[in-house]
Amino acid sequence: QKNSCVLPEDLKNFYLMTDGFQMTWSVKTDDTPMPLGSMVINSVSKLCRLGGSSMYTLPSAPTLADLEDDTDEEGNGDKPEKPHFDSRSLIFELDPCNGNGKVCLVYKHAEPVVSPDTEIWFLDRALYWHFLTKTFTAYYRLLITHLGLPQWQYAFTSYGVSPQAKQWFNMYKPITINTALLSEEADCFVNKLDPNKVFKSKNKTPVLKKKPPSQPPGSQKSHTSITSAKTFSLAGNSSRK
């Protein structure tokens, strides 16, 4: 009501379920957790408007609208029309991106009345605009898909992510950062599962060797005596001949 605009239906349904969203995850290096991924959707109270107010208390301090560059006009080829910091657009911050920029909900046509059509744009630290998605739902899927990795929004810019962030991408999202892999055969991305090897028992059943039956001591003595008697008789017969 304050800004005379209506939230898009998908974002409205999101805020009806939860007032914002924040999830962080860490990696362990040298047994010490280090925060890495961060996924943030500002709450309704933090859905602040960008542009109109000055960042300083001086009456003549510049605003974002003063940085508007009319030479960078929209309609260049297939590129979408860029947002404006002045009254032509309404811009609200969805994600502060840990100081690496801002993900914004943009109403690009605010005059004479605010159009209900919205888009999601990324404003980098140099105050250049980069288009992300047409709907909040599509952006939310991008956010989850990229795991909230540092500077993941810069993958949609012409200059890409920083070398440090690229190392994390190579570890957790190698296909996203290295699109050349997509032209290779699909088989190289398929985990070939052999059920015979997976479910094969590693503990082999020991083979029991049969031991010969043990003979009682008396039978061994009788067998020895019989053998010696046969030997003695054979020797006597040979001497008689």
Side-chain angles (χ1 to χ4, degrees):
Q1 294 179 354
K2 179 181 178 181
N3 296 284
S4 302
C5 59
V6 180
L7 288 175
E9 195 65 24
D10 52 358
L11 183 57
K12 179 181 177 182
N13 292 333
F14 175 82
Y15 281 126
L16 288 175
M17 291 187 298
T18 176
D19 188 15
F21 168 74
Q22 181 175 6
M23 189 181 84
T24 58
W25 56 277
S26 306
V27 294
K28 184 176 288 188
T29 57
D30 296 333
D31 296 330
T32 302
M34 183 185 71
L36 182 61
S38 177
M39 292 174 272
V40 176
I41 302 294
N42 281 340
S43 61
V44 175
S45 61
K46 294 182 179 180
L47 204 62
C48 302
R49 182 182 173 184
L50 301 181
S53 61
S54 172
M55 295 179 291
Y56 307 98
T57 57
L58 298 176
S60 59
T63 64
L64 289 175
D66 296 327
L67 301 176
E68 191 69 37
D69 186 7
D70 292 333
T71 60
D72 187 16
E73 279 299 322
E74 59 277 358
N76 297 329
D78 296 332
K79 295 181 180 180
E81 177 186 352
K82 294 183 179 180
H84 300 279
F85 291 116
D86 54 20
S87 59
R88 287 176 289 179
S89 302
L90 287 179
I91 306 168
F92 299 92
E93 179 183 323
L94 281 177
D95 182 2
C97 303
N98 291 325
N100 293 314
K102 294 180 185 297
V103 173
C104 299
L105 174 71
V106 178
Y107 296 80
K108 289 194 298 185
H109 304 287
E111 293 180 345
V113 293
V114 180
S115 172
D117 298 330
T118 59
E119 294 176 345
I120 308 298
W121 286 72
F122 175 61
L123 180 65
D124 64 18
R125 296 185 64 180
L127 301 181
Y128 286 102
W129 287 105
H130 308 276
F131 175 77
L132 292 179
T133 62
K134 285 186 172 294
T135 64
F136 171 76
T137 302
Y139 168 74
Y140 189 76
R141 291 172 179 169
L142 277 182
L143 176 65
I144 301 299
T145 302
H146 287 80
L147 308 176
L149 287 169
Q151 305 175 18
W152 71 266
Q153 295 89 355
Y154 282 88
F156 295 87
T157 65
S158 59
Y159 30 87
V161 300
S162 66
Q164 181 180 3
K166 188 176 294 185
Q167 292 180 3
W168 294 117
F169 270 86
N170 287 330
M171 183 176 297
Y172 294 103
K173 292 288 293 179
I175 299 179
T176 301
I177 200 63
N178 190 2
T179 55
L181 295 174
L182 295 175
S183 60
E184 299 180 4
E185 296 181 1
D187 293 341
C188 62
F189 300 111
V190 178
N191 292 328
K192 297 181 180 180
L193 179 65
D194 188 354
N196 297 325
K197 293 182 179 180
V198 172
F199 299 103
K200 186 178 180 181
S201 177
K202 294 182 179 180
N203 298 326
K204 295 183 179 180
T205 306
V207 179
L208 299 177
K209 296 182 179 180
K210 294 183 179 180
K211 296 182 179 180
S214 57
Q215 297 179 354
S219 61
Q220 291 182 359
K221 290 182 180 179
S222 60
H223 180 72
T224 305
S225 59
I226 293 172
T227 304
S228 59
K230 287 182 178 180
T231 305
F232 178 75
S233 60
L234 289 173
N237 293 333
S238 59
S239 61
R240 286 177 185 177
K241 291 180 181 179

